[in-house]
Amino acid sequence: MESMSNRQVITHNIQSPIVTVPGSKYLANRYIALAAIATGTTQLRNLPQNDDIEAALDAITQLGASVTEISPGVVDIEGIKHYSLAQTAEINCRDSGTLSRFITAVASNLSTEVVIDASQQMRQRPMQEVSQSLRELGVEVGSDTLPIKLKGPIKGGYVELDTSRSSQYLSGLLIACLKAKADTTLRLKGKTVSSSYIQLTKNAISLFGGVVEEVSNTELKIPAEQSVSAASIDIASDVVSSSYFMVAGLLAETSVTLKAFDFNSPQGESKFYQVLQQMGADIERTDSQLTLRYQQPLKGIEVDMGDMPDVVPTLVVLAMFAQGQTYITNIAHLAFKESNRIVDLCDELNKLGANIEYDDDSIRVTGGQKLTLHKLSSCHDHRLAMSFALLGIKMPGIVVTDAQAVEKSFPRYWEFLETIGIQTQVVDAS
């Protein structure tokens, strides 16, 4: 990751751009975990190139999988052959919360000791749900926070799992328990957040030939010692990354066309364009191509974003320039992202003179305020960095500090902005 940098948006000349967004990191994270426990070799194509994915590939290598880069964005992954290693495996998840949950579960299949660690920021992320579940499934787990020392294998059995804070615990266990020594039954407690991401995981497991049985709405059964494999997979474009270009086009009051858009993704964010349509954007769909056009001033709406949490920062930035109020609900789980994505997002934007109110589960934006330039911190959160940069379309000269946070999911973000006509430059920290 590059050293600390600040980015200033200088100017823009956005004129109906056509964009092809890199592959989805959400899909890639699931495919990498599954490829690690698969039989034989899986080729992943259109693999996004970012720090999270590098960390994931490094992690499965530590567990005994073999990764070969064929060309940029194309890798071969040979699955783990021996679930017992010669020495303790040490894994650094860096800044990836998803990886920390997934790999903790997957690594529990090894009969060798594994230590899972991450950045200082990730050490503060909740892990208790996955660590306690693994204990109940027969795994020795040393602590409920990173770094975590564990030793498997997963014996299987019955466990109750609270999915009210994150869906990643369940996704990790669904993948890992495919290799458990006995059948595993997971009973879900609490209000499951980001349920579309669970479906994403189930679809990925099916693609590898794995089986997850739905006993009821709150109970899932994973048959033991499954053999999974997938020869090659083309990873669909990242629907969250697409959101920045949709909003860029609307802020510039022009049109934008996204190629290779994944309309069939169960990921809630794939329906973000429908939220923009409610605000007044004109939408055109053709095969795998999506075009959004600005035709009239956008209007505020009330919207439940529980199933599309990662585009909330993008929506809030757009709502600042819409008429009336935008009320965003069902987003309590945003407090547990790379930053507190409710508090940090709103407090930073209010420095500009925005009128944004929030509580534990909602954000209310009153559009049309008189705004003044002020430096905004990304709070080391890639989603905030990318969303804040879009303000430069309306407010040339805006500076986003800690801008290298985009490395986490979209390291070429600044290049992509340039291709659609947004000019930025690195500026000093003074």
Side-chain angles (χ1 to χ4, degrees):
M1 186 178 285
E2 67 178 82
S3 59
M4 189 75 70
S5 68
N6 302 332
R7 282 269 176 176
Q8 182 175 42
V9 181
I10 311 165
T11 184
H12 83 87
N13 182 27
I14 302 175
Q15 297 181 338
S16 305
I18 298 173
V19 185
T20 304
V21 173
S24 164
K25 85 180 184 87
Y26 302 94
L27 291 173
N29 271 316
R30 287 157 174 79
Y31 295 154
I32 289 169
L34 283 159
I37 62 171
T39 303
T41 299
T42 307
Q43 183 169 98
L44 300 180
R45 296 190 290 261
N46 196 30
L47 187 72
Q49 296 171 280
N50 58 52
D51 195 61
D52 274 16
I53 298 305
E54 283 179 18
L57 294 174
D58 286 349
I60 64 167
T61 301
Q62 295 302 315
L63 296 181
S66 175
V67 177
T68 306
E69 184 176 4
I70 305 303
S71 60
V74 181
V75 299
D76 281 354
I77 299 173
E78 186 179 4
I80 299 166
K81 291 180 179 176
H82 305 290
Y83 284 83
S84 177
L85 304 176
Q87 58 188 27
T88 299
E90 297 187 357
I91 291 171
N92 186 345
C93 298
R94 306 184 197 178
D95 276 332
S96 179
T98 303
L99 177 61
S100 68
R101 276 74 179 264
F102 283 17
I103 209 68
T104 299
V106 171
S108 296
N109 283 299
L110 271 65
S111 58
T112 313
E113 188 175 82
V114 181
V115 178
I116 315 285
D117 202 357
S119 68
Q120 194 61 43
Q121 187 174 10
M122 284 303 106
R123 286 180 177 183
Q124 297 167 38
R125 295 279 287 274
M127 292 287 289
Q128 185 173 359
E129 286 87 340
V130 70
S131 59
Q132 185 55 40
S133 296
L134 290 168
R135 288 189 191 101
E136 292 174 26
L137 294 172
V139 180
E140 296 176 25
V141 185
S143 69
D144 293 328
T145 56
L146 296 170
I148 290 175
K149 186 182 292 185
L150 56 85
K151 184 178 180 183
I154 300 174
K155 294 175 183 174
Y158 175 88
V159 67
E160 292 190 345
L161 177 68
D162 184 352
T163 52
S164 62
R165 284 205 289 187
S166 174
S167 65
Q168 292 169 357
Y169 311 120
L170 176 56
S171 285
L173 289 169
L174 289 176
I175 293 170
C177 290
L178 296 170
K179 289 294 180 184
K181 300 302 180 186
D183 293 354
T184 305
T185 299
L186 300 175
R187 185 176 179 277
L188 312 184
K189 297 190 306 178
K191 178 184 176 184
T192 301
V193 296
S194 306
S195 58
S196 58
Y197 286 85
I198 303 300
Q199 192 58 49
L200 212 62
T201 304
K202 291 178 182 175
N203 290 359
I205 289 171
S206 295
L207 192 58
F208 277 76
V211 174
V212 174
E213 299 171 5
E214 297 195 20
V215 180
S216 70
N217 288 338
T218 57
E219 201 163 283
L220 300 168
K221 180 182 176 182
I222 307 109
E225 297 185 321
Q226 296 186 44
S227 178
V228 296
S229 63
S232 63
I233 298 172
D234 287 302
I235 301 172
S237 286
D238 188 297
V239 291
V240 181
S241 295
S242 298
S243 75
Y244 306 113
F245 302 98
M246 296 181 197
V247 167
L250 295 176
L251 289 173
E253 301 183 8
T254 182
S255 68
V256 62
T257 298
L258 297 162
K259 300 184 78 172
F261 189 81
D262 188 8
F263 289 105
N264 297 319
S265 170
Q267 196 174 339
E269 284 86 355
S270 67
K271 304 294 187 288
F272 182 55
Y273 70 91
Q274 295 177 356
V275 174
L276 302 180
Q277 188 174 30
Q278 290 177 51
M279 296 178 77
D282 181 65
I283 303 295
E284 182 183 341
R285 287 180 52 166
T286 47
D287 297 325
S288 61
Q289 188 166 292
L290 171 66
T291 299
L292 293 89
R293 295 185 184 86
Y294 178 94
Q295 292 191 322
Q296 59 193 349
L298 301 181
K299 292 182 168 57
I301 58 170
E302 181 171 337
V303 58
D304 180 329
M305 296 293 281
D307 264 349
M308 50 180 94
D310 280 350
V311 291
V312 167
T314 335
L315 176 59
V316 169
V317 165
L318 181 64
M320 290 165 60
F321 302 95
Q323 295 178 348
Q325 290 192 340
T326 298
Y327 185 45
I328 300 165
T329 62
N330 194 21
I331 54 169
H333 47 309
L334 284 184
F336 305 104
K337 298 291 184 176
E338 281 74 7
S339 65
N340 182 327
R341 223 175 261 169
I342 299 175
V343 175
D344 294 335
L345 168 70
C346 299
D347 284 355
E348 287 299 309
L349 291 174
N350 279 335
K351 291 176 182 177
L352 303 173
N355 183 354
I356 304 174
E357 302 168 295
Y358 59 87
D359 57 28
D360 291 345
D361 194 41
S362 69
I363 296 173
R364 187 183 299 274
V365 185
T366 303
Q369 304 301 304
K370 184 178 179 182
L371 304 176
T372 336
L373 279 176
H374 195 290
K375 283 184 182 177
L376 299 181
S377 170
S378 76
C379 304
H380 199 55
D381 187 328
H382 56 137
R383 298 290 171 214
L384 300 196
M386 290 187 274
S387 299
F388 291 168
L390 301 178
L391 288 162
I393 297 168
K394 293 290 192 184
M395 304 177 70
I398 196 85
V399 172
V400 180
T401 68
D402 203 3
Q404 82 290 342
V406 304
E407 294 279 329
K408 178 175 171 58
S409 62
F410 199 165
R412 295 180 60 209
Y413 182 66
W414 307 111
E415 291 174 45
F416 267 71
L417 289 190
E418 192 166 327
T419 63
I420 68 167
I422 300 175
Q423 301 299 314
T424 72
Q425 64 182 7
V426 177
V427 293
D428 63 38
S430 59

